[in-house]
Amino acid sequence: MTRRPLLLVDSASLYFRAYFGIPESAAQAPDGSPVNAVRGFLDMVAQLIRTRRPDRLICALDYDWRPAWRVELIPSYKAHRLAPGGGPSTEVVPDNLEAQVPLILSVLAAVGIPAIGAADYEADDVIGTLATTQPGPVEVASGDRDLFQLIDDAKPVRLLYCGRGVGKLEDCDNAAVEAKYGVPASGYADFAALRGDPSDGLPGVAGVGDKTAARLISRYGDIDAMLAALDDPKAGFAPGLRGKLDAARDYLAVAPTVVKVARDVELPNVDAALPTAPADGDALLDLAEKWNLAGPCRRLVDAISHAGTAQ
């Protein structure tokens, strides 16, 4: 019998999409408070459970969306997302979304779905550690392209890329990454470091775009090997490209550490088994009534109960 997957959910990736995908006016609590992010997030998780049939599920949290150790290496890392007048870790988040996150966590707790994070690490690092240490198969639901690097056909680890929403998932294996970017999944992090990623504040190497970055990774395998070849005057670099890479040595020495997700984060021990019924039915009913969430809560409970009977 084929083993059912461990589903790892990039929580912030999904609830940001839920918030911006559903108007606040379309989902409100009785007191008028918006619950659009909660409603959308719960429905996304329910749909993932129905369609992917996991037997284990963990939601990963950003305990630190901009870790100091990454910023120390590349100060521009996510700097464009800092709130004006805030501290070095104050992200621009709509107030009406920020207020809904504790409610999302309360519903997950009442259902019995673990949501975990780690101090000084992003959700990506939590996911990377779980994808590496937990038995496969593993499926990661996220709209973050950085997680392409986790794909591993042997284990297997797949990325359910939801950049266009959970309803239009792209089920990605290594072939999908190679077809889209011209590099294997194992080379995606170095590829991203070379070409840069404005969404994360990574400058990349000036003058190196997707095609050149893919060609370099395909030829040398990784940035370390490429830099070693750069020291060889007989290596076949065009003079212009050699100059660009040489000028970016300091950046290239640290960029892979910033882009690669951590795979050895110390995490709390949790029971990842998908519940077949709510862990605290009374608490869930109270939340559903207080916040006008009866529909999405019911759909989530239906999804876990039916998934428990899947073979």
Side-chain angles (χ1 to χ4, degrees), residues 10-65:
D10 184 350
S11 300
S13 179
L14 266 60
Y15 63 62
F16 264 91
R17 279 167 173 76
Y19 177 80
F20 288 107
I22 302 174
E24 291 184 1
S25 59
Q28 295 182 341
D31 68 357
S33 301
V35 291
N36 53 326
V38 185
R39 180 179 292 270
F41 178 85
L42 297 179
D43 278 338
M44 288 179 185
V45 173
Q47 182 171 347
L48 286 166
I49 294 170
R50 285 196 307 271
T51 57
R52 308 309 301 188
R53 297 288 187 178
D55 62 3
R56 297 159 291 153
L57 171 59
I58 298 176
C59 291
L61 304 174
D62 273 325
Y63 275 16
D64 191 339
W65 69 280

Side-chain angles (χ1 to χ4, degrees), residues 4-5 13 23 44 56 62 99-100 105 117 120 130 165 172 177 207 216 222 247 254 258 260 281 283 296:
R4 290 161 59 190
S13 179
M44 288 179 185
R56 297 159 291 153
D62 273 325
Q100 294 180 60
L105 298 180
D120 303 320
L130 292 169
C172 299
V177 179
L216 289 168
D222 59 32
V254 298
V258 173
K260 290 178 180 177

Side-chain angles (χ1 to χ4, degrees), residues 12 14 72 74 92 103 105 119 130 132 156 159 183 208 225 234 240 268 284 287 296 305:
L14 266 60
E72 184 178 353
I74 298 182
V92 176
L103 180 54
L105 298 180
L130 292 169
T132 302
L159 177 65
V183 297
V208 171
K234 297 180 181 178
L284 187 62
L287 289 165
S305 62

Side-chain angles (χ1 to χ4, degrees), residues 43-301:
D43 278 338
M44 288 179 185
V45 173
Q47 182 171 347
L48 286 166
I49 294 170
R50 285 196 307 271
T51 57
R52 308 309 301 188
R53 297 288 187 178
D55 62 3
R56 297 159 291 153
L57 171 59
I58 298 176
C59 291
L61 304 174
D62 273 325
Y63 275 16
D64 191 339
W65 69 280
R66 189 174 183 254
W69 58 271
R70 283 191 165 107
V71 175
E72 184 178 353
L73 295 173
I74 298 182
S76 63
Y77 182 66
K78 295 186 177 180
H80 60 294
R81 287 157 54 181
L82 287 170
S89 59
T90 305
E91 185 179 15
V92 176
V93 179
D95 291 342
N96 285 341
L97 168 57
E98 192 168 19
Q100 294 180 60
V101 175
L103 180 54
I104 289 173
L105 298 180
S106 294
V107 174
L108 291 176
V111 174
I113 295 173
I116 63 173
D120 303 320
Y121 288 97
E122 301 176 53
D124 287 7
D125 303 309
V126 175
I127 290 170
T129 297
L130 292 169
T132 302
T133 60
Q134 297 302 301
V138 176
E139 296 187 341
V140 176
S142 176
D144 189 341
R145 290 174 301 189
D146 288 341
L147 296 178
F148 281 123
Q149 65 186 276
L150 295 178
I151 291 173
D152 177 358
D153 288 353
K155 186 164 185 172
V157 178
R158 305 176 76 90
L159 177 65
L160 309 177
Y161 183 68
C162 53
R164 296 184 298 159
V166 168
K168 298 179 180 179
L169 281 182
E170 298 176 49
D171 184 356
C172 299
D173 58 6
N174 189 67
V177 179
E178 289 191 319
K180 188 173 182 66
Y181 297 105
V183 297
S186 60
Y188 181 83
D190 280 358
F191 163 81
L194 281 166
R195 65 111 188 244
D197 187 346
S199 68
D200 279 341
L202 295 173
V205 176
V208 171
D210 286 22
K211 291 182 179 180
T212 301
R215 188 168 67 249
L216 289 168
I217 296 301
S218 296
R219 180 170 184 177
Y220 297 104
D222 59 32
I223 286 176
D224 286 343
M226 182 199 73
L227 290 175
L230 197 63
D231 292 328
D232 181 359
K234 297 180 181 178
F237 290 98
L241 179 58
R242 180 186 288 276
K244 293 172 184 175
L245 295 173
D246 196 52
R249 278 183 182 272
D250 290 345
Y251 165 77
L252 291 171
V254 298
T257 301
V258 173
V259 179
K260 290 178 180 177
V261 301
R263 294 174 181 258
D264 57 356
V265 177
E266 186 173 342
L267 298 173
N269 291 321
V270 295
D271 182 2
L274 187 73
T276 56
D280 190 336
D282 290 340
L284 187 62
L285 284 172
D286 288 345
L287 289 165
E289 181 177 354
K290 179 178 179 180
W291 297 100
N292 191 25
L293 295 170
C297 286
R298 183 180 62 252
R299 289 186 286 273
L300 181 55
V301 170

